[in-house]
Amino acid sequence: KAGVTQTPRYLIKTRGQQVTLSCSPISGHRSVSWYQQTPGQGLQFLFEYFSETQRNKGNFPGRFSGRQFSNSRSEMNVSTLELGDSALYLCASSLEDFESTQYFGPGTRLTVL
Amino acid sequence: GENVEQHPSTLSVQEGDSAVIKCTYSDSASNYFPWYKQELGKRPQLIIDIRSNVGEKKDQRIAVTLNKTAKHFSLHITETQPEDSAVYFCAASIRGKTSYDKVIFGPGTSLSVIP
């Protein structure tokens, strides 16, 4: 089976812009979770989607949003970018939820200038 | 607020020695505790996990122990090898009715195994 893929791998944006990141899960996986990884804050949970519905959400402002399509592919959107949004954004897919083995994608490195 | 502490932040061991990483969580409702390994420049990988109804779990050279009373869980790696060098993250989650309600990660431990 193909692994989790994320596009784009690298992205440079300026403050105030918006960005959309994409995640394609492993075939058959219905849960997709998003995480932000920074040197200062470590790994933080953003949200999880299951069957096109946001099932759980971490403590991030409303500028961070996402959606999931019927084929389980997921997108994450960040509006009005801030310098502090510079991070590696990881998505992970699993069969059912966090307690099913999560398989991470390679991440999207976002730099906000 | 809820948090997960992880110690030590860095750990160096000689090849063949054991390594122990400890995490402490604050929310007593936490019931699932995975450990992830992230090699430099690579994606995190689940290496072992434990649920709150189990006290210990072992998989070859890796073991995890859970003490619910003290709210801490530990990763034990025996007979360490250079390829064990990586950053290790612990996490604690709370399972709600349909899925997990909360996921919190520890800050990570950078393990170096010296040949």
Side-chain angles (χ1 to χ4, degrees):
Chain A
K1 277 186 179 179
V4 179
T5 59
Q6 290 185 247
T7 56
R9 294 292 313 277
Y10 302 91
L11 207 48
I12 299 175
K13 292 285 187 178
T14 56
R15 279 182 299 173
Q17 287 186 310
Q18 74 166 19
V19 65
T20 299
L21 313 181
S22 181
C23 173
S24 293
I26 292 172
S27 177
H29 285 193
R30 297 192 294 170
S31 169
V32 175
S33 297
W34 288 89
Y35 302 88
Q36 181 194 67
Q37 187 172 31
T38 60
Q41 299 297 318
L43 262 171
Q44 295 187 88
F45 169 69
L46 279 155
F47 31 64
E48 183 233 2
Y49 284 86
F50 182 87
S51 292
E52 302 178 64
T53 302
Q54 186 181 85
R55 193 161 58 174
N56 286 294
K57 190 176 189 303
N59 294 326
F60 277 81
R63 299 186 296 109
F64 293 81
S65 63
R67 59 177 175 169
Q68 186 180 35
F69 301 94
S70 58
N71 61 358
S72 292
R73 188 177 71 86
S74 177
E75 286 183 348
M76 189 192 100
N77 184 275
V78 187
S79 62
T80 319
L81 284 166
E82 300 176 359
L83 295 179
D85 296 333
S86 294
L88 179 67
Y89 290 89
L90 293 158
C91 80
S93 76
S94 65
L95 281 171
E96 293 293 332
D97 59 23
F98 187 67
E99 293 190 20
S100 312
T101 302
Q102 291 214 311
Y103 295 88
F104 283 83
T108 294
R109 173 75 61 186
L110 172 64
T111 302
V112 182
L113 302 176
Chain B
E2 296 85 358
N3 73 313
V4 174
E5 295 182 356
Q6 184 171 346
H7 298 281
S9 57
T10 59
L11 179 60
S12 290
V13 299
Q14 291 291 134
E15 182 176 358
D17 287 350
S18 296
V20 180
I21 303 170
K22 181 177 176 179
C23 286
T24 304
Y25 58 98
S26 59
D27 195 328
S28 57
S30 299
N31 51 19
Y32 175 66
F33 309 92
W35 285 90
Y36 295 89
K37 173 184 179 183
Q38 187 175 27
E39 296 177 62
L40 188 63
K42 295 191 176 180
R43 65 194 78 182
Q45 285 185 300
L46 177 71
I47 55 171
I48 197 166
D49 58 12
I50 193 167
R51 288 169 173 75
S52 59
N53 59 347
V54 175
E56 184 175 356
K57 183 176 179 180
K58 190 173 181 180
D59 182 5
Q60 300 183 347
R61 298 186 296 108
I62 295 173
V64 57
T65 58
L66 172 64
N67 183 326
K68 286 192 296 182
T69 303
K71 292 192 285 185
H72 67 70
F73 55 112
S74 299
L75 177 70
H76 305 254
I77 306 174
T78 59
E79 301 172 20
T80 54
Q81 302 167 3
E83 50 265 40
D84 294 329
S85 296
V87 177
Y88 291 81
F89 294 95
C90 63
S93 74
I94 300 169
R95 185 173 186 84
K97 290 182 180 179
T98 57
S99 182
Y100 56 101
D101 287 339
K102 194 174 294 180
V103 178
I104 301 175
F105 288 85
T109 295
S110 178
L111 172 65
S112 297
V113 180
I114 304 165

